[in-house]
Amino acid sequence: NKGNYEHYMQKEIHEQPESLKTTMRGRLIRGGSCKAKTVLLGGLKDHFKTIRRSRRIVFIGCGTSYNAALAARPILEELSGVPVTMEIASDLLDRQGPIYREDTAVFVSQSGETADTLQALEYALENGALCVGITNTVGSAIARHTHCGVHINAGAEIGVASTKAYTSQIVVMAMLALAIGGDTISSQTRREAIIDGLFDLPNKVREVLNLDQEMKDLAKLLVAEQSLLVFGRGYNYATALEGALKVKEVALMHSEGILAGEMKHGPLALVDENLPIIVIATRDSCFSKQQSVIQQLHARKGRVIVMCSKGEAVSVCPGGLGRVIEVPHVEDCLQPVINVVPLQLLAYHLTVLRGYNVDQPRNLAKSVTTQ
Ligand code: UD1
Ligand code: F6R
């Protein structure tokens, strides 16, 4: 049931304030004035000791689910102190990469049925790792075969392009980071800021959804382009990959997410006055580096569109050069949840304007159950 929406993808994008609330329901505890703020993940409570002691945490997934894990990686490393590595499921299998008994392997999958991810799970089980699932589908193969896990509870996702599952996956993995991380005095302020940020996140997502018309206007501007680059780094490297994935899979436009730190190692050669480039430069510890990336793109007459924190257009566009997308500012590790929304909207509007099928992109299936 699409309700008042024309497409499932559109409905699912606009549903995110509610789906995020459901994801967090019963799992965030704010406590009284002197009680600590905590996270409760029922499915993992008997396993945290093992996870904390593991030699590393390996995230394994495909497509959007892999991108969600990449977005959560920095906060998991920061709060847990355990090294976190990333594996695309098919690549882990192709290499028969090392997985050890001392590893915690985390399988991220909306459907819980993706063949590559499921096969990587069988492989990790054979190698004796603790296997944790993060899935949206109760009773799915990945939910059943993992030792333990967390359901993201985002509600059924119908559109082939994953949107609300992505933001709920990031939120679950941020809660996982909080739950694994020790309750040390030094991290207390940080933890509380993240928990407060999680409580407020649905409101901020509602706010960023107000950019719908602005993204439709931007889509009109970009509708006939051949290609679109998205530059991100740090917490928002994943946002760049995920924004580009949405644009290519539904709008059928070539798009690439690029790690901004790699710009000078190749991608800079593509920059001219025609190729549109979205640079994600919301306020965080990478901000000044992104400012310098923007300057260098302008110096080469690049066609730059900057995503920045509300009220900061002047510091990212000196002299009013280029277009800006201003988004609400949230705690750095939660910013990817906000920043992906305008890119989801852009991909959606580009698809409608280009006349392609939004909910069933050509050649794609919602759940990839063959290899
Ligand atoms: C559970 C109930 C929820 C109830 C809540 C009350 C289910 C599915 N969930 O939620 O309805 O409101 O208790 O406290 O009955 N699991 C895996 N792999 C996965 C995902 C989950 O093994 O990929 C396991 C978990 O370890 C857990 C069970 O499935 O044993 C349910 O997980 P989850 O729904 O996340 O647990 P709760 O949030 O506690
Ligand atoms: C992109 C998309 C795919 C899936 C991928 C993994 O919008 O939907 O990239 O993310 O096929 O699917 P799950 O998460 O079901 O394992």
Side-chain angles (χ1 to χ4, degrees):
N1 186 338
K2 293 196 280 258
N4 295 326
Y5 295 101
E6 277 173 59
H7 304 98
Y8 282 109
M9 182 187 181
Q10 184 190 29
K11 170 175 176 273
E12 287 159 3
I13 292 171
H14 288 273
E15 211 166 76
Q16 290 177 104
E18 287 72 39
S19 52
L20 287 170
K21 257 191 206 155
T22 327
T23 296
M24 293 187 275
R25 184 163 299 141
R27 291 168 165 172
L28 279 185
I29 314 294
R30 187 117 68 163
S33 54
C34 52
K35 250 186 86 189
K37 299 168 182 175
T38 47
V39 169
L40 261 180
L41 296 173
L44 296 184
K45 63 180 189 309
D46 301 330
H47 302 269
F48 283 127
K49 245 193 183 152
T50 319
I51 300 174
R52 281 187 200 113
R53 283 188 195 145
S54 50
R55 178 152 81 176
R56 64 168 179 165
I57 296 168
V58 192
F59 274 129
I60 302 165
C62 307
T64 290
S65 294
Y66 174 91
N67 292 344
L70 188 66
R73 179 195 202 179
I75 193 61
L76 188 59
E77 284 181 335
E78 179 192 326
L79 295 182
S80 74
V82 180
V84 181
T85 63
M86 302 292 309
E87 291 284 359
I88 290 179
S90 65
D91 188 49
L92 176 68
L93 293 166
D94 290 346
R95 290 173 9 250
Q96 296 284 294
I99 296 284
Y100 302 108
R101 293 181 56 81
E102 300 80 6
D103 288 334
T104 295
V106 181
F107 296 84
V108 187
S109 173
Q110 188 284 129
S111 63
E113 303 290 348
T114 300
D116 286 327
T117 312
L118 191 55
Q119 203 177 325
L121 167 59
E122 302 305 337
Y123 174 75
L125 286 168
E126 282 163 24
N127 285 278
L130 174 70
C131 294
V132 179
I134 295 178
T135 56
N136 195 28
T137 317
V138 178
S140 61
I142 290 170
R144 281 183 285 115
H145 295 179
T146 41
H147 294 118
C148 57
V150 188
H151 290 114
I152 67 168
N153 300 337
E157 191 179 62
I158 313 283
V160 166
S162 183
T163 52
K164 65 174 180 170
Y166 179 72
T167 48
S168 284
Q169 285 167 335
I170 297 176
V171 160
V172 160
M173 288 183 268
M175 291 195 290
L176 175 69
L178 287 162
I180 297 175
D183 220 346
T184 59
I185 303 281
S186 61
S187 68
Q188 204 171 332
T189 317
R190 172 74 160 149
R191 296 168 54 82
E192 291 191 4
I194 298 169
I195 295 178
D196 288 339
L198 284 169
F199 272 109
D200 201 31
L201 200 56
N203 290 329
K204 298 288 183 174
V205 171
R206 199 165 290 121
E207 202 178 316
V208 75
L209 282 166
N210 290 331
L211 292 176
D212 193 33
Q213 185 58 46
E214 203 176 314
M215 290 304 110
K216 192 173 176 180
D217 294 341
L218 182 59
K220 283 180 192 157
L221 203 74
L222 300 178
V223 66
E225 295 301 332
Q226 297 280 337
S227 181
L228 171 69
L229 300 187
V230 190
F231 279 32
R233 72 197 310 148
Y235 293 104
N236 288 289
Y237 173 36
T239 311
L241 295 184
E242 177 58 10
L245 179 58
K246 289 298 88 117
V247 169
K248 86 179 97 178
E249 76 172 324
V250 281
L252 315 191
M253 180 189 287
H254 171 254
S255 186
E256 251 186 87
I258 290 177
L259 185 67
E262 282 285 285
M263 179 178 75
K264 291 180 186 165
H265 304 287
L268 197 53
L270 289 171
V271 177
D272 62 13
E273 57 280 2
N274 301 314
L275 175 65
I277 303 174
I278 297 180
V279 181
I280 302 168
T282 41
R283 183 68 76 167
D284 64 18
S285 57
C286 296
F287 181 67
S288 62
K289 286 183 173 179
Q290 284 303 72
Q291 277 182 306
S292 121
V293 162
I294 294 165
Q295 276 170 9
Q296 295 176 50
L297 291 172
H298 281 313
R300 282 153 189 91
K301 306 246 177 316
R303 218 178 128 194
V304 182
I305 301 154
V306 183
M307 184 185 295
C308 67
S309 303
K310 213 162 245 179
E312 302 219 321
V314 181
S315 48
V316 293
C317 280
L321 279 174
R323 229 184 139 97
V324 292
I325 304 166
E326 291 189 54
V327 299
H329 180 72
V330 297
E331 195 69 9
D332 53 13
C333 62
L334 304 177
Q335 195 70 50
V337 172
I338 298 298
N339 292 1
V340 79
V341 174
L343 303 177
Q344 294 171 340
L345 291 168
L346 176 66
Y348 170 75
H349 288 297
L350 277 173
T351 311
V352 173
L353 290 171
R354 286 160 71 93
Y356 294 121
N357 189 329
V358 174
D359 288 327
Q360 187 49 258
R362 85 178 169 209
N363 308 338
L364 297 183
K366 179 66 183 162
S367 181
V368 185
T369 52
T370 53
Q371 282 184 304

